[in-house]
Amino acid sequence: MSNLLGAPAALNFTQKILRVHWPLLIVVTALSAIGVMTLYSVAGGSFEPWAERHALRFLVAVGVLLAMALVTPRSWMAVAYPAYVLSVAALCLVPVLGAEALGAKRWIQVGGFSVQPSEFIKVSLVLALARYYQVLPTAKISKPFYVALPLVAIAVPVILTLRQPDLGTAALFAILGLTMMFLAGVSWIYFLGGAGALVAAIPLIWTNLHDYQRRRIEVFLDPEKDPLGAGYHIAQSKIAFGAGGVSGRGFMQGTQSQLDFLPEKHTDFIFTMIGEEWGFVGVVVLLVIFACLLMMLISMSISVQHQFGRLLVSGAGVTVFVYLLINVAMVTGLVPVVGVPLPLVSYGGTSMFTVMTLIGLAMSAHVHARQPMRRDEFSTML
Amino acid sequence: MALNNDDLEPKRLFKRRALLLGAAQLAGLGVLANHLHRLQVVDGRRFAPIADTNRFSMQVLAPVRGQIFDRFGRVLAKNVEGFRVTLTPGFGQDVNKSLALLSRIIVLPKDKRAKLALRARRSGPDSPIIIADGLTFEEVAEINLLTPQLPGIQTELSYGRTYPQGNVMGHIVGYIGQVSERALGDDPVLRLPGMRIGKTGIERSQDTRLRGSGGLRKFEVDARGRILRNLEERPANTGADVVLTIDADLQRRVLQRVSNERRASVVALDVRTGEVVALASVPNYNPDDIVSGITEQTWKRMASAAQKPMLNRAVAGIYPPGSTFKMVTAMAGLEAGVISARKRIRCSGQFKLAKQKFRCWKRSGHGSLNLQEALKRSCDVFFYETAHQLGIDKLAAMAKIMGLGQVYDCGIEEQNSGVVPTETWKIGRFNRGWLGGETLLAGIGQGYVLTTPLQLAVMTARIATGRTVVPTLLRRESGEDKPVFADLDVREDFLRQIRKGLDAVVNAPGGTGKNARMAAGAPRVAGKTGTSQVTRRSSQQSQSSLEWKERDHALFVAYAPADNPRYAVAAVVEHGEVGGRIAAPLVRDCLGYILEADAEFAGQMLAAKDQKINSENIEETVAVEKPVRRRGRPRKKRRLQ
């Protein structure tokens, strides 16, 4: 019967390679290249210590991405729940085994590497939620019980991350998870109700914040309050943007951002560098490239034939978007400093690999977009 | 398979919502772009008002570091004003040319110029680098004259650090140095060029107090680096001064006396306040040499030298306490009831545990002894027996009460906590069970027990006062309450018995510490000798036949006056062979200096000195305590007791 409708047969290697969304890959490469270029400038015109490693990491990550694209979504579905359980377990281990850095425990040592389990969660949460909605019958999507289940799956890592404490990542999990639920078709009523409850809960959240988190928010609301402390970075960053003007100071000519007073200029504050050296024109170009990436992901997601794949693609898009939004808003003083990198551009292996892994999953969904996947295939276990 | 409703419906729903999400994402990016437009295009004009060459900058102003004084206000660390010349890259200037021009005025060899040019390229356009420090006024004037030809070059006031007391206070005051990458925290002051941070001693422990807080200046500069106008200025807050408990003159005398030894250290405490009045470690170093810039080779040689001049032995040198530990064993024994003031133990020269023999230093034995005699003659067997009945954990608990095995928040962070071994400690450390024989060794301050001279001084002060004396190098600020030390959790009459024994060590005939006795008329001293074995060896070898570095450490702890204790002193002479002969006179002399410096005792000391002259010449032969001799360690596999 399926043959009558012409359901495609399994793809061979060449077919898969041909189906890879190459324009998307070009956009991703462009973003990383901007990262390499900026890191070269941050180092005062040197590939050491950042630019070269950033480029190398990207090349490795592209390899990983392509390898992931060749794997069928069916296989990803099989590992979705175990991956989620394992990464949550690893996150639980952080307070026990974790190494403390700058007042927060986020890393655990595995062999010679320090691993941030919260990065795995981003991937496994996307997988788990996509799988859940692949199997769940449409009629049940908005039933309270079936809404509560994914909420718990989101809440567990959110709470664990909040306790590390890492406000930025916790917020990302929450936004990522809820957006996926929204895309899966959960009724509007829940989202409206949730938003209302959140507004009501703000005083409660405030009292539960850590001192440094509260200070960041206070300083954000009034940067003059502490110009030498937490407000210093925002003020410096703003001056750098202003100094960039319309057309920027030119490559390697950034002066404000090259001040040693601006910390993390190769990671979280890299956008400030771009803003100063390339001006408003430069940042708009960068934002347009990001917009291309996001729109490509949206159109990819719509064209996938199964819910699992659609949600995988969305997961990548939402993550990139939230990173981008928080990072840019942070360095321009729109939101408090929370320590989120600019995806693909900022120096840092973990965020690079997380984003590329998510895009790899999306690519797998895209390559196999027309391969059927029946709802009941995995229905034995939710 | 037909696409049924169940498959189509979510697809349509997804498409609707995905498009909605896409629109929201574009809107989000639009908000960001709009915000950036305001920041860069609308407000940006405010930041780049005249031309691109004019820049706004924020500069953190360095605070002046606080000073360090001794208890009488003598300066131990101060700032010296000088001039320095800095270069701020990023004015489009030719750095090499500027440096070449500068080298006509100040000494700038070619290789140094190349290094500076490299640093200028790396440091980023707005962070000034220091070209030269310690300029004369003439040089500054000449450079200022040339300013128009030297864009980005500035002369400014700088502060160097100097330590007028040199070696005398080196280990205590410490020194400052460049801020390491790791120390860079939230304080932007630390990122300033030339900013230095406390590396050791008081400079390190009190760094945040001494450092002060930075000021902030917002200004506009032109392309030549000239400041066009100050927009806002908030001055820096000078760091607070720190006053120490040390009397620099007394410290100097003590250190001179300790310097007679190759490697030794002394700690002296005021037992009523816990104030450290002298803390000497030999060999030592002059912090002025370090801050005034030593070559890397010199630094490496100093840091790795065998005699370790950088090590503050008084707080970080760890030694087996030897027989000085017997006061702890005795106290634990009394508290646990395994000995009493009257109980006599027979010393036959050895103590047998299973098949193992543990020898007393006096191989012929001491005969029957009570506690006081055992302390006085430092009998090992008496304390083997006591420790054996006590067990290691009760012994360790008493050692902790007496202040061993811990570090103190006293103003020097480079302390070593030493070791107070317990059964669990050994399992954690060596993954082996505790052996009964090891308890015996611990009972005479050998084996795993390790202490610092500071801890030994605290132990002595606690025995002397019965209070939990806590040492400090920081003078109380006026208005701050005198510290009230809680009573130790032990019985006062037991303490009295120990003190009687310690008094006998120095003052009774046949006491091992008679060399610590001061001249007649001077305050009475009570103390305890210690000789701690450094290496295992056969019992036949004599000390003098050994290599210097294999000889025993000599220790002595004491307090005075014996009837109303004011000061406690601990001394360790590395490889000094015998506590009674080497360390006891050292402690006696140091105590003498301390009492002479104390108005309350100065007169008494002066009177005694006159009398002393005659008795000095009669050198007494001293009953010398010899170290424990034993054949090897207890066999590891065998679990004794």
Side-chain angles (χ1 to χ4, degrees), chain B residues 518-524 561 563 595-596 598-611:
Chain B
M518 289 201 272
R524 203 174 159 92
D563 44 2
L595 293 171
E596 282 166 25
D598 187 328
E600 202 182 313
F601 300 100
Q604 196 184 348
M605 291 300 294
L606 205 65
K609 224 175 185 174
D610 295 334
Q611 286 184 17

mmCIF file of all heavy atoms in Angstrom, chain B residues 518-524 561 563 595-596 598-611:
data_model
loop_
_atom_site.group_PDB
_atom_site.id
_atom_site.type_symbol
_atom_site.label_atom_id
_atom_site.label_comp_id
_atom_site.label_asym_id
_atom_site.label_seq_id
_atom_site.Cartn_x
_atom_site.Cartn_y
_atom_site.Cartn_z
ATOM 1 N N MET B 518 67.751 31.419 83.381
ATOM 2 C CA MET B 518 68.331 32.750 83.256
ATOM 3 C C MET B 518 69.120 33.052 84.516
ATOM 4 O O MET B 518 69.088 32.306 85.499
ATOM 5 C CB MET B 518 67.230 33.784 83.039
ATOM 6 C CG MET B 518 66.605 33.654 81.647
ATOM 7 S SD MET B 518 65.776 35.129 81.105
ATOM 8 C CE MET B 518 64.171 34.872 81.764
ATOM 9 N N ALA B 519 69.820 34.151 84.472
ATOM 10 C CA ALA B 519 70.651 34.540 85.604
ATOM 11 C C ALA B 519 69.801 34.665 86.865
ATOM 12 O O ALA B 519 68.608 34.948 86.792
ATOM 13 C CB ALA B 519 71.336 35.872 85.297
ATOM 14 N N ALA B 520 70.427 34.452 87.995
ATOM 15 C CA ALA B 520 69.720 34.568 89.270
ATOM 16 C C ALA B 520 69.111 35.953 89.363
ATOM 17 O O ALA B 520 69.731 36.939 88.958
ATOM 18 C CB ALA B 520 70.687 34.326 90.419
ATOM 19 N N GLY B 521 67.887 36.015 89.865
ATOM 20 C CA GLY B 521 67.226 37.308 89.990
ATOM 21 C C GLY B 521 66.332 37.609 88.817
ATOM 22 O O GLY B 521 65.379 38.375 88.926
ATOM 23 N N ALA B 522 66.610 37.004 87.705
ATOM 24 C CA ALA B 522 65.737 37.177 86.547
ATOM 25 C C ALA B 522 64.532 36.256 86.697
ATOM 26 O O ALA B 522 64.575 35.310 87.480
ATOM 27 C CB ALA B 522 66.493 36.845 85.266
ATOM 28 N N PRO B 523 63.449 36.530 85.950
ATOM 29 C CA PRO B 523 62.268 35.666 86.075
ATOM 30 C C PRO B 523 62.601 34.202 85.813
ATOM 31 O O PRO B 523 63.490 33.882 85.041
ATOM 32 C CB PRO B 523 61.309 36.227 85.031
ATOM 33 C CG PRO B 523 61.714 37.644 84.868
ATOM 34 C CD PRO B 523 63.187 37.668 85.079
ATOM 35 N N ARG B 524 61.833 33.362 86.503
ATOM 36 C CA ARG B 524 62.030 31.926 86.406
ATOM 37 C C ARG B 524 61.426 31.412 85.085
ATOM 38 O O ARG B 524 60.349 31.825 84.692
ATOM 39 C CB ARG B 524 61.291 31.308 87.584
ATOM 40 C CG ARG B 524 61.722 29.967 88.055
ATOM 41 C CD ARG B 524 60.915 29.682 89.337
ATOM 42 N NE ARG B 524 60.874 28.251 89.625
ATOM 43 C CZ ARG B 524 61.779 27.662 90.415
ATOM 44 N NH1 ARG B 524 62.759 28.358 90.954
ATOM 45 N NH2 ARG B 524 61.682 26.360 90.661
ATOM 46 N N PRO B 561 57.330 34.557 83.138
ATOM 47 C CA PRO B 561 57.836 33.910 84.349
ATOM 48 C C PRO B 561 57.037 32.645 84.665
ATOM 49 O O PRO B 561 55.836 32.602 84.380
ATOM 50 C CB PRO B 561 57.621 34.952 85.434
ATOM 51 C CG PRO B 561 57.351 36.245 84.721
ATOM 52 C CD PRO B 561 56.752 35.877 83.405
ATOM 53 N N ASP B 563 55.823 31.433 87.362
ATOM 54 C CA ASP B 563 54.700 31.508 88.298
ATOM 55 C C ASP B 563 53.554 32.360 87.770
ATOM 56 O O ASP B 563 52.424 32.211 88.206
ATOM 57 C CB ASP B 563 55.195 32.048 89.658
ATOM 58 C CG ASP B 563 56.129 33.241 89.473
ATOM 59 O OD1 ASP B 563 56.339 33.643 88.299
ATOM 60 O OD2 ASP B 563 56.637 33.763 90.480
ATOM 61 N N LEU B 595 61.935 40.030 77.710
ATOM 62 C CA LEU B 595 61.668 40.568 79.048
ATOM 63 C C LEU B 595 62.351 41.927 79.218
ATOM 64 O O LEU B 595 61.803 42.831 79.852
ATOM 65 C CB LEU B 595 62.131 39.579 80.116
ATOM 66 C CG LEU B 595 61.322 38.275 80.153
ATOM 67 C CD1 LEU B 595 61.969 37.255 81.078
ATOM 68 C CD2 LEU B 595 59.885 38.547 80.578
ATOM 69 N N GLU B 596 63.541 42.059 78.636
ATOM 70 C CA GLU B 596 64.221 43.360 78.720
ATOM 71 C C GLU B 596 63.428 44.441 78.000
ATOM 72 O O GLU B 596 63.453 45.604 78.385
ATOM 73 C CB GLU B 596 65.627 43.267 78.100
ATOM 74 C CG GLU B 596 66.641 42.602 79.010
ATOM 75 C CD GLU B 596 67.922 42.217 78.272
ATOM 76 O OE1 GLU B 596 68.209 42.857 77.244
ATOM 77 O OE2 GLU B 596 68.592 41.271 78.706
ATOM 78 N N ASP B 598 60.249 44.546 77.840
ATOM 79 C CA ASP B 598 58.977 44.756 78.524
ATOM 80 C C ASP B 598 59.237 45.585 79.783
ATOM 81 O O ASP B 598 59.985 45.170 80.676
ATOM 82 C CB ASP B 598 58.376 43.387 78.901
ATOM 83 C CG ASP B 598 56.980 43.534 79.472
ATOM 84 O OD1 ASP B 598 56.705 44.568 80.125
ATOM 85 O OD2 ASP B 598 56.165 42.618 79.267
ATOM 86 N N ALA B 599 58.608 46.760 79.853
ATOM 87 C CA ALA B 599 58.857 47.686 80.964
ATOM 88 C C ALA B 599 58.667 46.999 82.309
ATOM 89 O O ALA B 599 59.368 47.288 83.281
ATOM 90 C CB ALA B 599 57.926 48.888 80.837
ATOM 91 N N GLU B 600 57.760 46.064 82.365
ATOM 92 C CA GLU B 600 57.438 45.414 83.628
ATOM 93 C C GLU B 600 58.627 44.618 84.180
ATOM 94 O O GLU B 600 58.796 44.459 85.382
ATOM 95 C CB GLU B 600 56.238 44.479 83.395
ATOM 96 C CG GLU B 600 55.469 44.134 84.649
ATOM 97 C CD GLU B 600 54.339 43.168 84.314
ATOM 98 O OE1 GLU B 600 53.614 43.425 83.321
ATOM 99 O OE2 GLU B 600 54.209 42.162 85.022
ATOM 100 N N PHE B 601 59.455 44.094 83.265
ATOM 101 C CA PHE B 601 60.540 43.232 83.704
ATOM 102 C C PHE B 601 61.921 43.834 83.486
ATOM 103 O O PHE B 601 62.922 43.259 83.909
ATOM 104 C CB PHE B 601 60.478 41.888 82.968
ATOM 105 C CG PHE B 601 59.192 41.148 83.195
ATOM 106 C CD1 PHE B 601 58.185 41.179 82.255
ATOM 107 C CD2 PHE B 601 58.985 40.443 84.375
ATOM 108 C CE1 PHE B 601 56.998 40.512 82.462
ATOM 109 C CE2 PHE B 601 57.801 39.780 84.587
ATOM 110 C CZ PHE B 601 56.793 39.811 83.627
ATOM 111 N N ALA B 602 61.970 44.967 82.809
ATOM 112 C CA ALA B 602 63.266 45.519 82.390
ATOM 113 C C ALA B 602 64.214 45.723 83.578
ATOM 114 O O ALA B 602 65.388 45.345 83.527
ATOM 115 C CB ALA B 602 63.064 46.825 81.639
ATOM 116 N N GLY B 603 63.692 46.305 84.669
ATOM 117 C CA GLY B 603 64.522 46.573 85.833
ATOM 118 C C GLY B 603 65.091 45.291 86.424
ATOM 119 O O GLY B 603 66.292 45.176 86.684
ATOM 120 N N GLN B 604 64.202 44.322 86.570
ATOM 121 C CA GLN B 604 64.584 43.029 87.131
ATOM 122 C C GLN B 604 65.685 42.392 86.276
ATOM 123 O O GLN B 604 66.653 41.820 86.797
ATOM 124 C CB GLN B 604 63.353 42.139 87.175
ATOM 125 C CG GLN B 604 63.475 40.924 88.049
ATOM 126 C CD GLN B 604 62.233 40.040 87.942
ATOM 127 O OE1 GLN B 604 61.222 40.460 87.394
ATOM 128 N NE2 GLN B 604 62.323 38.835 88.473
ATOM 129 N N MET B 605 65.541 42.485 84.972
ATOM 130 C CA MET B 605 66.509 41.877 84.070
ATOM 131 C C MET B 605 67.865 42.562 84.190
ATOM 132 O O MET B 605 68.912 41.919 84.178
ATOM 133 C CB MET B 605 66.022 41.983 82.612
ATOM 134 C CG MET B 605 64.826 41.132 82.297
ATOM 135 S SD MET B 605 65.111 39.378 82.552
ATOM 136 C CE MET B 605 66.330 39.036 81.285
ATOM 137 N N LEU B 606 67.813 43.899 84.320
ATOM 138 C CA LEU B 606 69.052 44.663 84.398
ATOM 139 C C LEU B 606 69.824 44.268 85.665
ATOM 140 O O LEU B 606 71.040 44.025 85.633
ATOM 141 C CB LEU B 606 68.714 46.161 84.408
ATOM 142 C CG LEU B 606 69.816 47.083 83.908
ATOM 143 C CD1 LEU B 606 70.064 46.812 82.429
ATOM 144 C CD2 LEU B 606 69.423 48.542 84.126
ATOM 145 N N ALA B 607 69.103 44.162 86.787
ATOM 146 C CA ALA B 607 69.730 43.793 88.052
ATOM 147 C C ALA B 607 70.359 42.414 87.949
ATOM 148 O O ALA B 607 71.487 42.183 88.402
ATOM 149 C CB ALA B 607 68.687 43.828 89.164
ATOM 150 N N ALA B 608 69.616 41.494 87.289
ATOM 151 C CA ALA B 608 70.116 40.123 87.198
ATOM 152 C C ALA B 608 71.356 40.050 86.319
ATOM 153 O O ALA B 608 72.249 39.230 86.565
ATOM 154 C CB ALA B 608 69.021 39.222 86.621
ATOM 155 N N LYS B 609 71.416 40.921 85.344
ATOM 156 C CA LYS B 609 72.534 40.871 84.403
ATOM 157 C C LYS B 609 73.875 41.107 85.110
ATOM 158 O O LYS B 609 74.869 40.461 84.798
ATOM 159 C CB LYS B 609 72.324 41.938 83.313
ATOM 160 C CG LYS B 609 72.634 41.422 81.912
ATOM 161 C CD LYS B 609 72.301 42.467 80.871
ATOM 162 C CE LYS B 609 72.493 41.912 79.479
ATOM 163 N NZ LYS B 609 72.059 42.842 78.457
ATOM 164 N N ASP B 610 73.831 42.058 86.049
ATOM 165 C CA ASP B 610 75.062 42.377 86.771
ATOM 166 C C ASP B 610 75.576 41.166 87.535
ATOM 167 O O ASP B 610 76.765 40.850 87.511
ATOM 168 C CB ASP B 610 74.809 43.532 87.754
ATOM 169 C CG ASP B 610 74.466 44.807 86.998
ATOM 170 O OD1 ASP B 610 74.905 44.917 85.830
ATOM 171 O OD2 ASP B 610 73.765 45.656 87.560
ATOM 172 N N GLN B 611 74.646 40.478 88.184
ATOM 173 C CA GLN B 611 75.032 39.290 88.955
ATOM 174 C C GLN B 611 75.565 38.197 88.062
ATOM 175 O O GLN B 611 76.460 37.439 88.430
ATOM 176 C CB GLN B 611 73.808 38.738 89.697
ATOM 177 C CG GLN B 611 73.410 39.563 90.886
ATOM 178 C CD GLN B 611 72.259 38.909 91.627
ATOM 179 O OE1 GLN B 611 72.000 37.719 91.428
ATOM 180 N NE2 GLN B 611 71.577 39.664 92.466
#
